[in-house]
Amino acid sequence: MTHHQELHRTDRIGWLRAAVLGANDGILSVGSVLIGVASASTDRQNILLAGVAALTAGAMSMAAGEYVSVSSQSDTENADRRREAEELRDSPESELDELTQIYVHRGLDEPLARQVAIKLTEKDAIGTHLRDELGISEHLSARPLQAAWTSALAFAIGAALPVAVALLSPARGLIIAVAASTLLSLGILGGVSAGVGGASVVRGTLRVAFWGAAAMGASSLIGWIFGVSVG
C-alpha cells in the first residue's frame, strides 16, 4: 500500500507572511525615502545617509512591531488553551457533547460523531478542542520570535537593494535607477510570494508593482515640492 503525501502551504503562513511583509516594506519604504530625498537634494552623502538610517530604523521597527503583534496573538491562544484545559477538567461530559455537536454540524451522524469525539478526546483532548472548536492548530500557532527576526532580516535585505543601487548609480540617473530597480524587485517579490502561496503570479506581481509605483510617485512629488520651497 502506497501512501500519498500531500504538500500543503498552510504551514508556511507564519514565516512567509513576515518575510514578504518585511522585504516588501524594506524595498518600498527605503526606495521611496531615497527618491524623496534625491528629489529634494543632489547631495549623494545625504541621500545615502537617509537610506541607511531608514534601513536601520525600519528593520528595528519591523522586528518590534511583529513581536508585539504576534505576542498578543500568542497570549490569546495561551489563554484559550488554559480555559479549554479547565473546562475539560471541570466538565468533561459537556465538552464531549460540544465536540460531538461540532462533528454533527460538519455532516456526521450523531452516533458516529460521538464515537469520533470520544476517540479523539482519548488521544489528545486539549489539542482536539483547540483545533476543532477554536481553529487553533500547531502549524498556525503564533511564534513571536520567528515573526520578529524573519521580518527584520527580510526588511534589511530588501532595503539593502535600493541603497546599493543609489550607491552605484551616477548622480544624474539616481532617481530613475532606484525607481526602476525598486519596481522590478517589488514585481519579482510579489510574483514569487504569490507562487509560493499558491496564488496567481501575474496578479501578485501587478498588485505589488502598482502600489509601489504610487508610493514612489508620492514620495518624489513631496521631495520635489520640499526642494523647490527650500531653494
Side-chain angles (χ1 to χ4, degrees):
M1 180 179 178
T2 59
H3 294 277
H4 173 60
Q5 184 177 8
E6 294 184 347
L7 298 176
H8 296 288
R9 295 177 171 87
T10 53
D11 57 343
R12 306 174 183 173
I13 289 177
W15 66 262
L16 179 60
R17 182 192 68 84
V20 170
L21 179 63
N24 185 83
D25 275 5
I27 296 170
L28 181 55
S29 62
V30 175
S32 297
V33 166
L34 289 169
I35 289 174
V37 175
S39 298
S41 171
T42 58
D43 189 324
R44 181 185 293 273
Q45 184 175 354
N46 288 339
I47 296 171
L48 292 175
L49 181 60
V52 173
L55 185 157
T56 304
M60 296 300 294
S61 176
M62 289 294 293
E66 281 292 317
Y67 185 81
V68 171
S69 175
V70 180
S71 290
S72 298
Q73 179 186 341
S74 180
D75 291 342
T76 301
E77 292 177 359
N78 290 333
D80 286 337
R81 187 175 287 105
R82 288 191 298 270
R83 183 164 55 249
E84 282 299 317
E86 292 174 0
E87 292 174 351
L88 284 167
R89 184 187 64 244
D90 298 337
S91 53
E93 283 300 319
S94 296
E95 289 299 298
L96 189 61
D97 291 339
E98 184 177 21
L99 197 60
T100 299
Q101 290 307 308
I102 290 174
Y103 297 143
V104 169
H105 292 155
R106 292 181 181 178
L108 297 182
D109 295 332
E110 184 149 356
L112 179 57
R114 185 76 174 185
Q115 184 180 3
V116 171
I118 291 173
K119 290 293 185 181
L120 291 178
T121 298
E122 290 175 351
K123 182 179 181 180
D124 181 12
I126 184 67
T128 299
H129 277 270
L130 288 174
R131 181 184 64 250
D132 293 334
E133 183 181 342
L134 301 176
I136 300 174
S137 68
E138 182 66 25
H139 289 312
L140 301 179
S141 60
R143 295 178 174 85
L145 287 177
Q146 181 192 65
W149 73 257
T150 300
S151 183
L153 180 61
F155 184 98
I157 293 173
L161 184 128
V163 171
V165 171
L167 177 64
L168 299 175
S169 299
R172 183 169 296 180
L174 188 146
I175 293 178
I176 295 176
V178 171
S181 62
T182 298
L183 280 178
L184 178 61
S185 301
L186 287 173
I188 293 173
L189 177 64
V192 170
S193 61
V196 172
S200 169
V201 173
V202 174
R203 188 180 300 126
T205 300
L206 294 177
R207 178 174 55 205
V208 176
F210 171 79
W211 289 109
M216 288 187 293
S219 297
S220 179
L221 179 61
I222 294 172
W224 178 79
I225 292 173
F226 180 78
V228 170
S229 64
V230 171

